[in-house]
Amino acid sequence: KQAMKPRRDKILRALFIPDSQHGFRWNAPDFDRLEPFHDRVAFDSVCEFASAFQPDTIVLLGDMLDLAPFSSYPTDPATRQTTQPALAELHWQLKQLRKKCPRSKIVFLGGNHELRLQKSTKSNLEEASYLRNADEKRGQDTVFSVQRLLALDALDIDYVADYDDDWWLWNRIRVFHGRTVRAGGGSTVAARIKSATHSEVFGHIHRVELAQKTLHGPKGQKVITSMTPGCLCLTDGSIPGASKIQDWQQGVGIAYVDLEHDTEHLSLVSIHGGTLVHDGRVYMGQDRAQEIAEETGFLQIKERP
């Protein structure tokens, strides 16, 4: 991967991609079709937008995998034996993202759903928790890690495994998956902005929300932002444990840092029906189920009816 060349306009660009919860459910009782939890069309529109936007940094905000079979909560039996196709499809879509943004730094933050794998392994296969290949040195990722299972190294994607870790974008914007969920649109960022001292971007709540406040100090005023860009999973109640009626929205987040004037500018871009509009240009996603099936070998993967 080649590093991004310094931009002549002295503006850094970042793209935040929220929870897609890649996963499947078999269509019981026939069990002959895998029905996705993730929205292929919405994810594809983000890839098309990223190709045009060419961000310096792309941050996957966590819960990119659902991992329902590894949940500690009771789950639908129809989600069993769906992890491998979920891994294959997310890898395929991340590969498309990497192809369209060959010079971008891509960071994948682990969320509470990725943590399911680690918790399940420690609880049920304690001896396997820290196993690595025999010819690998200490410090390598364990065999049962998201990094290894998604082959992120092959895509030059950095994985931040600790769910509780913050990741700092350009040493000025706090980025994390998140834990806090408040009821009602706008309420989560409204709660977070009260104590925030830096701009922040997070996922987890599946809602599009943004709030700002002005800090006053010896260097004058500074506006900071608390922002969450929604999700890329289906919002029709398909996600395990979700009710049929959800106050969820799809979107992505954008950050600019103006190096010349030392300012940051955060904004949200909504996705409706697999269509993303930014700067007067329309990015329409496609359902690439057939391409995915042909390349991954999971020929039973079909579009939702």
Side-chain angles (χ1 to χ4, degrees):
K1 178 175 73 72
Q2 296 179 342
M4 293 286 286
K5 294 181 180 179
R7 298 184 187 271
R8 294 182 180 180
D9 56 13
K10 297 184 180 179
I11 295 177
L12 299 174
R13 295 161 171 80
L15 174 64
F16 303 98
I17 301 177
D19 317 39
S20 60
Q21 291 192 219
H22 271 65
F24 294 96
R25 175 189 288 108
W26 290 100
N27 65 319
D30 296 328
F31 292 92
D32 62 356
R33 183 178 68 245
L34 284 167
E35 299 178 341
F37 304 150
H38 50 285
D39 192 327
R40 291 188 182 113
V41 179
F43 202 101
D44 191 63
S45 72
V46 174
C47 288
E48 293 303 311
F49 170 61
S51 180
F53 188 54
Q54 287 300 308
D56 300 274
T57 305
I58 299 172
V59 186
L60 306 165
L61 292 173
D63 284 6
M64 308 307 293
L65 289 165
D66 186 82
L67 296 175
F70 294 89
S71 175
S72 59
Y73 300 101
T75 55
D76 185 346
T79 64
R80 300 303 179 192
Q81 300 302 322
T82 60
T83 302
Q84 196 64 55
L87 291 168
E89 179 152 341
L90 179 55
H91 177 85
W92 187 89
Q93 289 187 303
L94 292 178
K95 183 167 64 174
Q96 307 315 304
L97 184 65
R98 170 51 79 198
K99 286 180 179 178
K100 293 178 183 297
C101 301
R103 297 182 298 165
S104 299
K105 176 183 179 66
I106 304 181
V107 179
F108 185 141
L109 306 184
N112 52 295
H113 279 259
E114 282 81 18
L115 189 62
R116 286 177 171 179
L117 178 63
Q118 181 182 346
K119 285 184 174 180
S120 179
T121 306
K122 287 184 177 180
S123 298
N124 303 308
L125 294 169
E126 185 177 354
E127 185 68 16
S129 296
Y130 300 105
L131 287 179
R132 60 184 185 275
N133 290 344
D135 61 348
E136 291 179 339
K137 297 179 181 179
R138 294 180 180 180
Q140 293 282 350
D141 296 302
T142 62
V143 173
F144 296 104
S145 67
V146 172
Q147 181 88 4
R148 294 286 288 270
L149 292 173
L150 280 173
L152 295 180
D153 288 345
L155 301 177
D156 194 23
I157 295 176
D158 297 331
Y159 186 64
V160 179
D162 195 333
Y163 170 39
D164 292 316
D165 276 0
D166 294 336
W167 186 82
W168 288 86
L169 176 65
W170 307 317
N171 293 319
R172 63 189 299 155
I173 300 173
R174 180 188 178 208
V175 190
F176 55 101
H177 178 67
R179 292 178 179 271
T180 305
V181 182
R182 297 291 177 87
S187 59
T188 304
V189 294
R192 290 208 53 85
I193 197 68
K194 291 179 181 179
S195 59
T197 57
H198 295 79
S199 288
E200 61 179 27
V201 182
F202 59 96
H204 189 60
I205 72 170
H206 295 193
R207 292 201 300 263
V208 173
E209 299 184 2
L210 184 149
Q212 294 183 324
K213 75 176 180 182
T214 302
L215 301 176
H216 300 265
K219 295 184 180 180
Q221 297 182 356
K222 178 183 179 181
V223 176
I224 65 170
T225 303
S226 180
M227 180 177 84
T228 181
C231 62
L232 291 179
C233 59
L234 293 169
T235 59
D236 60 0
S238 300
I239 303 298
S243 65
K244 290 298 181 182
I245 300 176
Q246 285 291 342
D247 181 18
W248 292 354
Q249 302 88 42
Q250 295 179 334
V252 293
I254 292 174
Y256 299 95
V257 167
D258 182 344
L259 297 174
E260 183 174 354
H261 301 97
D262 192 30
T263 57
E264 60 207 38
H265 307 262
L266 280 69
S267 60
L268 296 166
V269 183
S270 295
I271 299 172
H272 301 292
T275 300
L276 183 157
V277 179
H278 180 260
D279 196 23
R281 182 173 173 183
V282 178
Y283 302 89
M284 298 185 64
Q286 299 181 44
D287 189 334
R288 303 186 185 276
Q290 188 59 41
E291 294 176 57
I292 295 168
E294 291 174 358
E295 291 201 29
T296 64
F298 289 98
L299 299 180
Q300 68 273 39
I301 299 176
K302 296 183 180 179
E303 300 90 342
R304 289 175 59 82

